[in-house]
Amino acid sequence: MREKKRVIFHMDMDHFYTAVEEREHPEHKGKPVVVGADPKEGKGRGVVSTSNYEARRAGVRSGIPISRAWKLCPEAVYLPPNFPLYIRVSNEIMEIARKYADKFEQWGIDEAFLDVSARVKDYAEAESLAKQLKREVKEKENLTCSIGIGPNKLIAKIASDYQKPDGLTIVKEDDAEAFLAPLPVRKLLWVGRKTEAKLKNRGIFTIGDLARYDPTVIAEAFGVMGTQMHLSARGIDRSEVETRTEVKSISHETTFEEDTADAEAVLKALDSLAAEVAKEAVGQKLFFKAVTVKVRYENFETHTRSKTLAFITNRLQDLQKTARDLLKAYLKNDRKIRLIGVRVSNFVKGEKQKTLA
Ligand code: TTP
Ligand code: MG
């Protein structure tokens, strides 16, 4: 028996933080806008959270140092992030989108997967449903999003990114391999920078190159991830849209005013980051099991270390102790540190944990 064909949407808001800022401050519209750390006339530290498309044209993108953004585009409007606002708007958008699907999975602050298989009989109906969703988001929130439609989450996600902003891209199952083939391997969820470099060494640049490569060689070189990666390259993804709305992780990070090797100062900053993270977790009634710390040295070399606890918690003491233990390995070498971060993940929603002390 043939499995019923699925129709999956992936929705991704366009330049989310800056789009919300432009909506709240129409005087910024048409100008390059950057949300992130304070640029301090080019001397600022920290990074760009996101930028609107005008600023992207000047080369300003998520993750680049704010000092570089300033050099590239001094005339941009620079704004600090207003997280409570973005979270509120995100919640409103997710409430709208949720109604369109039988299974709905929020992914990060501005993305979601929707399984609409039971609501449409073909791709033409899927297209009009997606247009309706885009229209409702525009009318109610005055924001645009891009939607990808495909036979699974993998293809839908790559499709939503294909045409942006305000895009709608449909990739039918039969067209999936041809759609993916010319795209760089980096577009696959499994491929980070290191894997990308290893693949390039083997002459694999595009998803098509990977799809054609001998899967047993890939599996030998990359293990289980290699097998997954090869399936992805062929457009195969059986993972379900999981009805889940909770956030995946809570994190805070800080860039020091000056790079420092002062262990006490670093640990003190770590404690206050942990306090912010724990406060949010408690506020959202989330208990976590995994803790990650991130360290960036003065030369931008960046490391992360994680620990999965034997218990779930949202107590500040547990978080501070675990984060300190994890960070200590990075403090032994007297190297100057530029940035640290704390993240918690593997959540369990509070209600289910009534027995917790
Ligand atoms: P994205 O959806 O990756 O980016 P975007 O919505 O700004 O732009 P696009 O139109 O390409 O989708 O991320 C959503 C938000 O998450 C983004 O507005 C800001 C935040 N973010 C960061 O804070 N740091 C980052 O490095 C990235 C990638 C995103
Ligand atoms: Mg987005």
Side-chain angles (χ1 to χ4, degrees), residues 249-269:
S249 67
I250 298 173
S251 63
H252 280 277
E253 57 182 48
T254 190
T255 306
F256 294 108
E257 282 299 319
E258 270 175 43
D259 300 330
T260 178
D262 177 350
E264 270 317 301
V266 173
L267 289 170
K268 208 170 140 220

Side-chain angles (χ1 to χ4, degrees), residues 12-13 110 164:
D12 185 342
M13 300 306 295
D110 79 329
K164 249 183 170 299

